Amino acid sequence: MKAHDGMYIDGAWRPAAGRDTIEVVNPADEQVIGQVPAGTVEDVEAAVRAARAAFPGWAATAPAERAARLAALRDVLVARKDEIAETVTAELGSPLAFSQAVHAGVPVLVAGSYAELAATYAFEEKVGNSTVYQEPVGVVGAITPWNYPLHQIVAKVAPALAAGCTVVLKPAEDTPLTAQLFAEAVAEAGIPAGVFNLVTGLGPIAGQALAEHPDVDLVSFTGSTAVGRRIGATAGAAVKRVALELGGKSANVILPSADLAKAVNVGVANVMSNSGQTCSAWTRMLVHTARYDEAVELAAAAAAKYGDRIGPVVNAKQRDRVRGYIEKGVAEGARIVAGGPESPREQGYFVSPTVFADVTERMTVAQEEIFGPVLTILRYEDEEDALRIANGTVYGLAGAVWAGEESEAVAFARRLDTGQVDINGGRFNPLAPFGGYKQSGVGRELGAHGLSEYLQTKSLQF
């Protein structure tokens, strides 16, 4: 798509307040493919003002009509799925097949789920002599990351609109073209002016201005735990609602009774998906000591198949960051059994699919989020040891448990300090709540739990 040179505010593309721009670079070949305006405080002010003016009318719109607009948005995303996939591939570097299936496909499911929820959700209920109403929070500031650019937008904007909120979106500066395409879809779906607004720009400027704005009632942020802390502190000072989806270091626990080959192969695929740029990736594989060597051999063989199947990471800074972690892992005594820090290609921000063996739980690569195609394999002695290691990080976003009997896996999963666990390779569910324990965040996304983040409760007594 051709980049817009303005902001989408109050239902129209308007010139940016400043002249600075952000170049959009294809990470596969390092070529500039477009540029977008770098939003200023003035741009954020205009967008929030439009959202505030549109809020009373949208909040008063019948849920059935809001549902109809969301259904129309879903249909536009379906109609433009090829353009979406090509745009994500161009600015993120994701292989086209993955962009078609995941980056373009999953947002359609999520948008459709909120069209249905908006029509069926119990916004009003009787509790004894009270009537309890679920009402929209107000103006939402949505700040989204680059790793799943459209999914993260839809996972925030769709429930906010279903709830009756209005939105100002500040997308990641690496993937703004996908956000502009989404704004076009919003207009095509007939969503009223001011209900959705888009400001492209840098986090420390546009993002901070949005988080701090006194007329923003809720900030929904997905990104690093460090930035989430700053947003949480800003919101706390203003007694403002926040929803934070932050980092992860998820454990893939393979119990002795599991089908080891299946668990390892699926685990490697999970880590390599989206070039490892997934906050919920199972980057720590925990294997019983009796089967550890076999698991390492299987994982190394599986990772070797991904050399030509994954795309680059998003930019040069991220590539260097991931390589730095790989080098640190070696320096701390971990053993590389696949991949390594050397670049697999001369051009593009590529990182070799890497597997570490002989990893101990306190190593940096076992504790910190790398956000690249890097798997660490740790050994455990018994279930209590596995549980201690799995729960032994500051994060608690996701995870997996494998066992011969489902009941055995469930019993272990119930003891994990994490927000979402896949049992024996359970499938993604767009209606299930997604979010973390501990420093992985506050609040939930997706399904009815995601909708409730954008609602506040009022009771009337009779």
Side-chain angles (χ1 to χ4, degrees):
M1 67 168 287
K2 184 179 183 298
H4 290 275
D5 59 3
M7 309 298 185
Y8 184 76
I9 297 175
D10 204 16
W13 292 97
R14 302 186 174 189
R19 296 184 178 180
D20 290 344
T21 59
I22 299 169
E23 288 187 337
V24 184
V25 176
N26 184 330
D29 60 15
E30 304 179 46
Q31 300 301 303
V32 175
I33 58 174
Q35 62 181 23
V36 299
T40 64
V41 173
E42 290 77 14
D43 293 310
V44 172
E45 177 64 38
V48 173
R49 187 164 56 247
R52 177 58 64 193
F55 173 66
W58 184 246
T61 300
E65 175 58 22
R66 299 200 297 259
R69 292 305 96 214
L70 285 167
L73 176 61
R74 173 203 59 206
D75 293 345
V76 174
L77 296 178
V78 170
R80 302 184 70 171
K81 66 181 188 307
D82 290 340
E83 183 182 5
I84 291 168
E86 290 165 3
T87 300
V88 174
T89 291
E91 62 182 356
L92 182 62
S94 171
L96 185 58
F98 188 81
S99 292
Q100 291 169 334
V102 177
H103 289 295
V106 172
V108 169
L109 297 176
V110 175
S113 74
Y114 281 113
E116 294 179 10
L117 269 171
T120 59
Y121 192 82
F123 291 99
E124 177 182 337
E125 65 173 331
K126 294 288 187 180
V127 179
N129 65 308
S130 301
T131 301
V132 179
Y133 298 91
Q134 299 294 325
E135 299 182 340
V137 168
V139 175
V140 172
I143 303 174
T144 56
W146 45 260
N147 60 326
Y148 289 90
L150 185 60
H151 169 62
Q152 295 288 356
I153 289 171
V154 173
K156 297 183 189 302
V157 175
L161 300 190
C165 297
T166 55
V167 179
V168 178
L169 170 68
K170 205 298 287 183
E173 48 263 37
D174 290 291
T175 53
L177 302 183
T178 301
Q180 288 190 342
L181 198 158
F182 178 77
E184 293 178 0
V186 165
E188 191 174 340
I191 292 171
V195 171
F196 170 82
N197 307 273
L198 169 67
V199 175
T200 54
L202 301 175
I205 299 173
Q208 183 171 334
L210 185 59
E212 293 178 346
H213 200 289
D215 276 340
V216 170
D217 301 293
L218 182 150
V219 180
S220 180
F221 169 79
T222 296
S224 72
T225 297
V227 176
R229 287 194 193 100
R230 294 200 294 271
I231 289 175
T234 297
V239 195
K240 182 182 299 188
R241 291 266 297 272
V242 293
L244 304 173
E245 199 270 279
L246 308 176
K249 194 67 180 177
S250 301
N252 179 16
V253 182
I254 305 174
L255 297 176
S257 62
D259 180 335
L260 184 66
K262 181 178 181 181
V264 170
N265 283 311
V266 173
V268 170
N270 176 276
V271 172
M272 302 306 161
S273 177
N274 208 39
S275 301
Q277 300 169 128
T278 304
C279 55
S280 58
W282 311 333
T283 52
R284 294 181 298 145
M285 181 179 290
L286 276 59
V287 185
H288 189 272
T289 187
R291 307 193 74 183
Y292 185 83
D293 291 341
E294 183 183 357
V296 168
E297 185 177 342
L298 288 167
K305 299 176 183 178
Y306 285 88
D308 296 325
R309 291 166 56 184
I310 65 172
V313 294
V314 70
N315 55 38
K317 180 180 179 181
Q318 184 65 14
R319 176 199 60 197
D320 295 343
R321 179 178 182 271
V322 175
R323 287 182 185 171
Y325 271 112
I326 296 172
E327 291 168 352
K328 193 171 186 66
V330 172
E332 292 183 357
R335 175 168 56 97
I336 292 177
V337 296
E342 298 79 14
S343 177
R345 304 189 191 184
E346 293 185 2
Q347 188 178 44
Y349 309 130
F350 289 89
V351 176
S352 295
T354 299
V355 177
F356 276 114
D358 300 337
V359 177
T360 59
E361 60 188 287
R362 304 317 302 175
M363 286 181 179
T364 302
V365 293
Q367 287 291 319
E368 296 185 11
E369 185 177 45
I370 298 173
F371 226 61
V374 180
L375 171 66
T376 61
I377 310 180
L378 298 88
R379 67 175 77 234
Y380 66 86
E381 299 297 328
D382 54 33
E383 281 199 17
E384 292 304 314
D385 192 35
L387 184 68
R388 181 185 57 78
I389 296 170
N391 287 338
T393 75
V394 298
Y395 298 112
L397 185 57
V401 181
W402 301 79
E405 295 293 332
E406 182 178 288
S407 58
E408 181 187 2
V410 169
F412 189 93
R414 291 295 305 273
R415 301 170 69 195
L416 289 174
D417 296 334
T418 192
Q420 190 172 79
V421 185
D422 293 347
I423 303 298
N424 287 340
R427 293 180 294 110
F428 172 73
N429 179 2
L431 298 179
F434 179 80
Y437 288 17
K438 300 188 285 188
Q439 292 187 27
S440 285
V442 176
R444 292 294 180 269
E445 293 187 328
L446 304 180
H449 292 80
L451 177 59
S452 68
E453 294 291 333
Y454 300 92
L455 295 168
Q456 53 192 350
T457 304
K458 176 185 291 179
S459 65
L460 274 59
Q461 284 61 250
F462 296 91

